[in-house]
Amino acid sequence: MNNSSVINAAIALSQKLPIPLKRLADLAYNYWWSWSTDRVSLFQTIDPHHWESCGHNPVAILESATYERLTQLAEDPFYLKQISELTREFDKYMTQQDTWVSRVAPQVSSEHPIAYFCAEFGIHESLPIYSGGLGILAGDHLKSASDLGVPMVGIGLLYRQGYFRQKLNHNGWQEDYYVDNLFHQMPIELIKNQQGEPLTIELEVRQRMVKVQIWRAQVGRVSLYLLDTDRHDNDPIDRWLTGHLYGGNQETRIAQEVVLGIGGVRTLTALGIKPSVYHLNEGHAAFSTLEVAREEIERTGKSFYDIEASVKSRCVFTTHTPVPAGHDVFSPDMMDSFFAHYWPKLRLSREQFLALGARRLGDPWEPFGMTVLALRMCRASNGVSELHGQVSRKMWMVLYPERSEDKVPIGYITNGVHAPTWTAPLLADLYNQYLGADWKTRAIDPKMWEKVDEIPDEELWWRHQILKERLIAYARYKIKKAREHRGEDYHLVQSTDSLLNPKVLTIGFARRFSPYKRGYLLMRDAERALRIFGNAERPVQIIFAGKAHPADEEGKRIIQRLMEWCKHSAIQHRVAFIEDYDIYVGQKLVQGVDVWLNNPRRPLEASGTSGQKVCFNGGINCSVLDGWWCEGYKADAHGKGINGWAIGEDAHTSDQDLQDSIDSESLYRLLEEEIVPLFYEQDANGIPHRWIQMMKASIKTNAPLFNTDRMIADYVSQVYVPEIATSVEPILAKVLV
Ligand SMILES: *Cc1c(COP(=O)(O)O)cnc(C)c1O
């Protein structure tokens, strides 16, 4: 793309490799490999054991391999053929000129890319700087932007210890711990200036100047710049500014958001990047709008109000939170301590400055809201599903007293997932055969997905079955290790080898254990749940994963209750909990389950994306009609699900206990009367044809809509460059202006 895509660290690494393996260094430093055809085997083969222990980090694998092993591979013609095929694919990808964007929006040039800001990015498990849905969405956003040729750069923070890691003790209580990221061994590069010193920017935080250095992770054609304050010349406290993701108190939080927003814009300037659009993915990055304004004021000498419209014309915002309490707000005192030096540079008084983030004007105690600031300073704002758009318009009506609710300027673009990342290689291979070798680049084409009907049931089933076996083997491996680690009884440890059964209907439930996600709903009537799971002829099994935020005691109690439930003698071999949910665990789960369960309290799931990942793998959703599933779920004339199941009635009540009771009753009934009978209706060869019909419907109806290529196409045509009439039909989005 531009010369900045040369990665010096890759050149240095390649010099340590035997000649025929040199190009592995280029692959290792570009996360493109993680969604290429090959995915893992090229790096894994070097040292399968270390591949696991280093967290699937290709740079660490190459750095630590012995020369003896490397030369052994360098004389293996099969291995060399694999490298040459993959590098050919890589070079073609990186130099491709005829991209989707070059056809529909050639005016978006790499000189003026979209700058995409987010507090977390989930690209791959070897770059653990994400906590969950928001980060994974951001990672998938960059990957699809790269695939479609959208000029984009990402801006985020490089957390020394990332998000906390999860371990459960023998009481089933979550214990949190942190692991240091060793940046120099990761597939990222520290940006240097012309003198060969780390390039830094400076900003004032808590009355001290802080120096920030910048790392780059390469995500296909997109560069992701990550800010890091862990430098010797910073105050020890400031070195921890980028220590933890979502750790610490309000003060850490605002400090991090200053680094992300203000530091992010300064980073772009230092790199000579002049974005055409600043996209704030969630309110955390909203201070960036102020810095864009400050730069313009400094350059032009104009007042804030003179340049406000020009700043606004370049900023866009995506909100993700459907509850008021989920939006960051800071007290006026806190704002004073962080911004007293700053508002004069905007030529604003304290009152004028604080008004930018105030929901209501005139109240001196009114906190400063990041979402409010973003809504005020951005020309376009959107929620992440149709329902979430509605909820957001209602929630933020207060800012637009002159407008009726439906005219509140917040639209929606429904989230999606990056198909090549989340589709199991074994199914991708099947799609290659039946949908065409170019299926990954045509993910938005519903006609192409219709061809799923041509896949013979047996073919789809054996592949799904293998993926389920893989998931179960992985679950046993992880759980056995966890039990050994806890010092559990010998027999319990040994019994892990027969935990779960690939022939049994398998449900997956993996999500943050936040009370609103209702991880306990399935156990609400313990007797009935035991009858369903422990049924002798038609049993059901479930695999759980997910963390509770360290400060969320109630969430931790839900996990503890689940662990207690796992021990019940009637079902102990049918229930499993995989610790430390991350992208890798997520992939194994969404690729191997029969049914994906999602039972949040409506409408608190803004979109959700894990259920979308399941669809690409032939799994079937059983979910409350919330978030994306409101748009995905299809029923026949009798109200029976065609492509999955809907939990709950149309009636909604604010009485939480009553709602839980209605929804759990509905869930039990679905399991007993529909899901279990359908799954066990199998022919003499054990093939459940009617079930497979539903798997195919799940793929056909959802895959063309809930992928990030469709989502990026919508962002380009409705948000980034609304003046173009793209050749891609807007499929779901509607952004009100
Ligand atoms: C997809 C994913 C999420 C987000 O899924 P939800 O449906 O929003 O719960 C969170 N964590 C991981 C590891 C994921 O892969």
Side-chain angles (χ1 to χ4, degrees):
M1 251 188 150
N2 49 35
N3 55 8
S4 70
S5 62
V6 173
I7 298 171
N8 293 312
I11 298 171
L13 174 58
S14 78
Q15 279 156 4
K16 299 181 200 164
L17 302 175
I19 289 170
L21 303 193
K22 283 194 184 304
R23 294 292 320 271
L24 282 179
D26 295 333
L27 294 172
Y29 274 97
N30 190 324
Y31 273 107
W32 173 84
W33 69 266
S34 70
W35 75 90
S36 67
T37 333
D38 176 85
R39 312 268 183 110
V40 294
S41 61
L42 213 52
F43 295 118
Q44 188 179 39
T45 307
I46 299 173
D47 183 347
H49 185 73
H50 187 43
W51 180 247
E52 292 311 315
S53 59
C54 74
H56 308 153
N57 171 349
V59 167
I61 277 287
L62 289 172
E63 290 281 6
S64 66
T66 62
Y67 208 65
E68 145 65 12
R69 178 62 183 148
L70 292 173
T71 49
Q72 193 178 33
L73 289 165
E75 64 166 9
D76 173 354
F78 289 101
Y79 192 70
L80 300 187
K81 183 152 176 275
Q82 231 184 319
I83 296 181
S84 96
E85 278 171 9
L86 203 64
T87 44
R88 195 169 329 123
E89 197 181 321
F90 178 59
D91 293 339
K92 190 168 154 212
Y93 180 91
M94 293 300 285
T95 55
Q96 186 191 356
Q97 298 292 325
D98 177 31
T99 61
W100 176 82
V101 148
S102 71
R103 291 193 295 276
V104 304
Q107 63 270 62
V108 193
S109 70
S110 50
E111 277 86 71
H112 299 291
I114 315 295
Y116 182 83
F117 284 66
C118 192
E120 49 169 317
F121 283 90
I123 310 284
H124 186 258
E125 62 270 16
S126 64
L127 188 56
I129 54 167
Y130 61 91
S131 86
L134 182 71
I136 312 266
L137 178 80
D140 283 4
H141 194 101
L142 298 191
K143 290 172 186 173
S144 268
S146 169
D147 288 349
L148 297 181
V150 181
M152 185 175 286
V153 295
I155 294 284
L157 301 181
L158 187 64
Y159 301 98
R160 172 150 156 209
Q161 298 195 329
Y163 197 52
F164 81 93
R165 308 288 292 270
Q166 176 194 51
K167 189 166 72 185
L168 302 180
N169 70 17
H170 59 278
N171 292 321
W173 191 252
Q174 171 179 301
E175 290 180 348
D176 322 324
Y177 67 103
Y178 285 93
V179 177
D180 256 332
N181 284 322
L182 304 174
F183 298 151
H184 286 282
Q185 291 172 24
M186 290 164 62
I188 53 177
E189 165 163 81
L190 185 61
I191 307 278
K192 305 270 177 69
N193 61 20
Q194 252 138 26
Q195 290 74 45
E197 298 294 320
L199 180 71
T200 57
I201 54 125
E202 288 191 54
L203 73 169
E204 187 176 331
V205 184
R206 293 180 285 223
Q207 290 94 48
R208 273 193 302 273
M209 291 311 283
V210 177
K211 272 196 180 171
V212 184
Q213 57 188 15
I214 303 144
W215 298 75
R216 174 161 56 116
Q218 200 58 35
V219 185
R221 291 181 273 224
V222 171
S223 294
L224 167 59
Y225 294 102
L226 297 166
L227 282 61
D228 169 21
T229 64
D230 186 18
R231 285 177 53 87
H232 293 286
D233 46 4
N234 281 332
D235 185 282
I237 297 174
D238 298 333
R239 295 183 67 167
W240 280 101
L241 275 174
T242 50
H244 302 111
L245 170 59
Y246 308 145
N249 53 20
Q250 281 300 93
E251 193 187 315
T252 325
R253 186 80 162 218
I254 189 173
Q256 288 187 327
E257 295 185 2
V258 165
V259 174
L260 176 65
I262 297 179
V265 173
R266 289 191 186 165
T267 295
L268 291 166
T269 305
L271 293 166
I273 297 170
K274 299 187 175 67
S276 54
V277 175
Y278 296 84
H279 184 173
L280 285 46
N281 193 42
E282 189 53 318
H284 308 127
F287 292 140
S288 58
T289 59
L290 302 178
E291 181 63 11
V292 174
R294 194 201 58 78
E295 283 188 348
E296 194 155 329
I297 290 166
E298 188 180 273
R299 200 174 57 248
T300 61
K302 292 186 179 164
S303 79
F304 181 85
Y305 300 108
D306 285 338
I307 53 101
E308 192 180 358
S310 137
V311 172
K312 200 166 165 168
S313 72
R314 281 173 287 154
C315 297
V316 302
F317 171 51
T318 301
T319 177
H320 290 263
T321 316
V323 279
H327 296 259
D328 274 342
V329 291
F330 302 113
S331 69
D333 277 355
M334 187 87 87
M335 292 306 289
D336 285 344
S337 89
F338 280 83
F339 284 93
H341 74 285
Y342 195 84
W343 61 67
K345 295 180 186 159
L346 296 175
R347 306 190 178 180
L348 293 177
S349 68
R350 177 178 184 270
E351 287 63 38
Q352 289 169 322
F353 179 78
L354 291 182
L356 295 171
R359 263 166 75 110
R360 284 173 305 261
L361 301 176
D363 173 358
W365 303 109
E366 176 72 19
F368 191 96
M370 296 300 275
T371 301
V372 177
L373 176 65
L375 289 170
R376 291 238 167 87
M377 294 300 294
C378 292
R379 74 165 148 80
S381 298
N382 67 283
V384 290
S385 69
E386 184 174 8
L387 179 62
H388 179 236
Q390 266 171 37
V391 170
S392 302
R393 286 192 288 280
K394 189 176 179 112
M395 187 160 44
W396 297 109
M397 258 176 87
V398 52
L399 296 184
Y400 309 90
E402 74 291 0
R403 297 193 186 211
S404 60
E405 184 181 319
D406 60 327
K407 293 286 188 308
V408 169
I410 304 176
Y412 75 93
I413 290 180
T414 303
N415 285 344
V417 297
H418 184 244
T421 295
W422 297 102
T423 308
L426 199 61
L427 280 201
D429 173 61
L430 190 64
Y431 297 156
N432 280 339
Q433 292 173 44
Y434 287 88
L435 311 185
D438 60 347
W439 72 271
K440 283 179 192 161
T441 59
R442 295 173 51 205
I444 63 173
D445 178 3
K447 288 232 165 46
M448 178 194 78
W449 288 104
E450 288 288 329
K451 293 195 201 150
V452 162
D453 281 336
E454 293 166 20
I455 302 173
D457 285 0
E458 291 72 14
E459 182 80 27
L460 182 57
W461 190 247
W462 80 253
R463 288 179 190 249
H464 170 67
Q465 221 24 60
I466 290 290
L467 290 166
K468 188 153 66 160
E469 284 182 32
R470 173 76 190 104
L471 164 62
I472 289 173
Y474 178 69
R476 287 177 185 162
Y477 161 79
K478 288 272 286 191
I479 292 166
K480 192 170 185 180
K481 274 214 322 205
R483 285 177 174 172
E484 281 168 356
H485 192 84
R486 284 198 289 268
E488 300 271 17
D489 174 68
Y490 175 79
H491 295 285
L492 183 65
V493 173
Q494 289 307 308
S495 73
T496 317
D497 294 337
S498 56
L499 180 69
L500 306 170
N501 175 344
K503 294 215 160 55
V504 169
L505 170 61
T506 304
I507 301 175
F509 183 99
R511 49 203 69 254
R512 194 151 46 85
F513 277 90
S514 215
Y516 84 84
K517 304 237 189 193
R518 296 192 295 185
Y520 55 85
L521 196 74
L522 198 57
M523 306 174 287
R524 200 166 183 278
D525 180 344
E527 289 305 312
R528 193 154 170 200
L530 287 180
R531 281 202 300 279
I532 294 171
F533 283 82
N535 187 296
E537 281 92 58
R538 301 188 306 186
V540 178
Q541 63 194 8
I542 186 163
I543 307 177
F544 291 99
K547 300 173 176 180
H549 187 276
D552 182 3
E553 293 283 313
E554 198 182 338
K556 291 184 184 178
R557 271 197 295 277
I558 296 173
I559 294 180
Q560 191 172 35
R561 275 176 62 192
L562 274 181
M563 292 302 281
E564 218 25 66
W565 198 57
C566 290
K567 290 188 193 147
H568 198 288
S569 63
I571 54 160
Q572 59 183 357
H573 51 304
R574 303 254 182 261
V575 188
F577 190 104
I578 303 180
E579 289 176 5
D580 208 28
Y581 185 36
D582 70 356
I583 289 181
Y584 189 71
V585 176
Q587 279 176 334
K588 291 287 152 281
L589 276 165
V590 299
Q591 295 169 358
V593 297
D594 298 303
V595 173
W596 193 250
L597 179 63
N598 177 41
N599 48 30
R601 195 167 279 143
R602 192 177 187 271
L604 300 188
E605 191 71 274
S607 165
T609 53
S610 52
Q612 303 174 344
K613 300 166 190 168
V614 167
C615 298
F616 284 87
N617 294 288
I620 307 176
N621 280 276
C622 176
S623 168
V624 166
L625 284 175
D626 196 10
W628 77 277
W629 191 231
C630 291
E631 295 155 59
Y633 174 67
K634 299 280 173 298
D636 67 14
H638 311 288
K640 282 234 182 227
I642 296 169
N643 61 353
W645 295 278
I647 302 169
E649 317 293 324
D650 258 347
H652 299 287
T653 152
S654 56
D655 177 340
Q656 297 192 346
D657 202 47
L658 180 60
Q659 189 70 55
D660 284 1
S661 145
I662 295 171
D663 291 347
S664 62
E665 173 60 34
S666 161
L667 174 57
Y668 293 133
R669 200 199 53 76
L670 281 174
L671 281 168
E672 291 162 347
E673 295 173 16
E674 299 192 33
I675 301 175
V676 174
L678 191 69
F679 181 86
Y680 286 103
E681 185 189 310
Q682 303 181 350
D683 72 9
N685 299 317
I687 310 277
H689 292 282
R690 291 212 305 138
W691 182 274
I692 295 169
Q693 266 328 99
M694 200 146 175
M695 288 172 71
K696 290 180 176 173
S698 171
I699 303 171
K700 277 188 306 189
T701 57
N702 295 312
L705 295 179
F706 303 105
N707 64 73
T708 34
D709 284 3
R710 187 275 307 154
M711 184 183 89
I712 289 288
D714 286 343
Y715 274 105
V716 169
S717 63
Q718 324 220 1
V719 175
Y720 298 155
V721 220
E723 61 274 19
I724 60 165
T726 73
S727 58
V728 174
E729 286 286 302
I731 298 168
L732 288 167
K734 195 172 66 171
V735 176
L736 307 173
V737 253

